Amino acid sequence: MNNDTDIQLCGSFTAKDSSGNLREISMIRIFDEGYGMIDVYVDLRHAMNDDPLSEDAVLIHHITKHLHGLGYVGPDLIAGDIALQDDKLIVLEAPEDFIVFAESRGWKNLAEEFADDDEISDEQAASVAPAASAQLDALLRKFKSK
């Protein structure tokens, strides 16, 4: 990731995994913009080696709990795309509730910009409805006559 487009949510802390081991996390960050779904990047100070930490529910819970202490209100994050991870990086997928927290930290939801373009005004809808209704009536009459 490019550090110019990252939002650092927190610095270093430790969290327990399901084996009871303390894992040193150097930072948690997110990309500064996206389309509604947010990947949360957890940078580890030490390599995971063969430990499947990206799927460790206890570790993920402790990471989420740390985010709760920073203002996030919502359920635990979940394991993210395994292809994005490496030996010192866990990628978690944030639930929809995370969006409010991410926006408070400067994250921009690009999907909202496109949603505004797709919306039509009440006047536009009212002018389209009669024309569409007339076309539908004409089609129905055509099929009934056959």
Side-chain angles (χ1 to χ4, degrees):
M1 294 184 73
N2 180 345
N3 289 338
D4 293 341
T5 59
D6 290 350
I7 297 172
Q8 182 175 336
L9 301 178
C10 72
S12 61
F13 68 99
T14 57
K16 275 189 184 177
D17 66 17
S18 60
S19 300
N21 296 320
L22 285 177
R23 300 295 178 157
E24 293 182 52
I25 296 168
S26 58
M27 89 170 73
I28 299 177
R29 56 195 166 88
I30 57 175
F31 191 62
D32 68 350
E33 55 188 24
Y35 291 95
M37 191 167 116
I38 302 172
D39 288 325
V40 178
Y41 300 89
V42 180
D43 293 301
L44 301 171
R45 189 163 313 282
H46 305 287
M48 289 184 267
N49 299 319
D50 291 330
D51 293 337
L53 296 179
S54 62
E55 299 171 0
D56 189 313
V58 172
L59 180 63
I60 293 170
H61 175 72
H62 282 112
I63 291 168
T64 303
K65 190 174 174 183
H66 188 78
L67 290 169
H68 284 153
L70 299 171
Y72 166 56
V73 178
D76 281 2
L77 296 111
I78 59 173
D81 186 351
I82 196 79
L84 297 175
Q85 306 186 52
D86 66 31
D87 206 35
K88 292 175 79 176
L89 176 68
I90 297 172
V91 179
L92 301 174
E93 187 177 308
E96 206 171 303
D97 300 37
F98 195 82
I99 291 174
V100 173
F101 175 67
E103 287 176 334
S104 75
R105 298 300 184 108
W107 181 78
K108 185 175 181 182
N109 187 353
L110 298 175
E112 288 178 351
E113 290 180 21
F114 291 109
D116 292 342
D117 293 343
D118 294 339
E119 292 178 11
I120 60 171
S121 69
D122 290 339
E123 296 86 28
Q124 289 171 319
S127 68
V128 170
S133 179
Q135 288 178 333
L136 179 60
D137 288 343
L139 283 172
L140 288 173
R141 282 193 301 275
K142 182 177 180 181
F143 286 117
K144 284 182 183 179
S145 67
K146 288 188 176 190

